[in-house]
Amino acid sequence: MPDFSRFYALPITERVARLGVSFEDNLSLETADQMVENLVSTLELPLGIACHFVINQKPVWVPMAIEEPSVIAAASFMAKQASKLGGFRTKVDEPIMMGQIQLLDSTDWDAVQSIINKHHDELVIQANQVLASLVKRGGGCKEIIFKPLNAKMAVVEVFVDCRDAMGANLINTLMESLAPQIELLTGAQTGFKILSNLSDQRLARAWCEIPYASLDPNPTKDHGREIAQRIVNGYELACLSPYRAATHNKGIMNGIDAVAIATGNDWRAIEAGAHAYASQQPGGYGPLTHFELDNKNACLKARIALPLALGVVGGITQTHPRVKACHKLLGDFGSSAQALAGLMAAVGLAQNLAAMRALAAEGIQQGHMALHGRKSR
Ligand code: NAD
């Protein structure tokens, strides 16, 4: 059971001692030289720990690599408020990623569709031969579909359960190995062959409830419900204005990216997926979180859903010593891609809640100052 109490007040060495995980080893130039081209050095970022997270009833230390001040404190603060009503709950889809093979130069897409349908099962078998390492772990190719896009172009979409890997390299390899057989069967030319970062089959969801009283910076004033209402108003602005939604979602990604970097995940892929998903909402680009008042129980209900294509294997997850230390710190939450996705969704929700509360409460303070000003006139 982590001891979160007054963690912030400890000297750095005592914080590390309390975690029981060593962060001494760092990325060597030799290892870094294997990762990128033209290496000259490595670049440090602050690595901090968010406290008070209770996710699916399990308390967990959350490692966050980020240069921006206040992010870790804000996440910890809101996690503490959420823990008063049980913390965060999560639900995460199976780790399904999709790759596309572009098809060109056919005059009869209906015929191509029939051929793909007819050979579906044998194409899945062929895919699973390429993905033997995933099949062995319960994953592999699940579905292949054909989609005509316009008179000149169509796409074959291949859905793969990537288990605990992010899956980009696995899928790209698979797309390139399936393409010749698809050309042979259909007579169409294949073009681009690559995974999609809009991994909307791989959603992570988290939700929590915050007592109104916990939203009030000055609980004696009993403004919690009013602040909750202001949060909902701000959320509705994000639903109506993409200019607000972009900043709303940036606040979410402050938390998600920081955990992604600490755990060696591809934050560019996560960003691409999150914003593409946010654009798929009925009204166009909108917020990834949702807020509503629960007056009966005097609490704000908050939830988030976004695609999270993460790995706890592959990439740099097992080569960067400090990333390895972060996975160790996460315990069960670092043991599967789905568990890590649930945790990251919860962190994104906490981060957004903290920013919304600050905006709403500051507004209240300014309102009071204006009132004060009017009174003193
Ligand atoms: P990877 O190439 O390291 O493959 C994962 C490996 O882990 C596979 O060999 C697999 O067999 C093995 N494995 C071991 N245990 C496993 C388990 N429990 N579940 C699943 N696999 C297991 O990594 P990847 O996930 O295929 O690709 C991720 C990397 O690809 C990231 O570094 C990312 O930055 C990069 N990338 C991303 C994009 C993109 O997002 N558009 C494109 C290209 C590359």
Side-chain angles (χ1 to χ4, degrees), residues 97 133-134 137 162-172 194-197 264-266 268-269 311-316 318:
M97 295 292 276
S133 69
L134 279 183
R137 297 180 169 94
C162 295
R163 291 291 87 203
D164 294 318
M166 183 264 192
N169 289 323
L170 290 163
I171 301 251
N172 290 346
I194 190 158
L195 99 152
S196 167
N197 284 112
N265 273 287
D266 185 338
R268 288 86 55 202
V312 297
V313 297
I316 61 161
Q318 277 134 10

Side-chain angles (χ1 to χ4, degrees), residues 75-118:
S76 303
F77 170 80
M78 205 39 87
K80 192 172 185 179
Q81 308 317 312
S83 68
K84 293 174 185 168
L85 290 177
F88 299 88
R89 294 275 175 181
T90 68
K91 186 170 184 293
V92 179
D93 289 343
E94 295 296 314
I96 305 285
M97 295 292 276
M98 185 264 275
Q100 294 182 310
I101 301 173
Q102 182 189 29
L103 295 187
L104 302 151
D105 297 341
S106 172
T107 48
D108 188 351
W109 290 124
D110 288 341
V112 172
Q113 165 109 61
S114 307
I115 292 166
I116 300 281
N117 289 350
K118 184 168 160 221

Side-chain angles (χ1 to χ4, degrees), residues 1 9 34-35 59 70 133 146 164 197 204 208 232 239 280 284 292 305 312 314 335 341 343 358 363 368:
M1 171 79 184
Q34 309 293 310
M35 293 177 179
S70 305
S133 69
F146 170 84
D164 294 318
N197 284 112
C208 70
V232 172
C239 294
Q280 283 193 322
E292 62 192 62
V312 297
S335 68
L343 174 130
H368 286 172

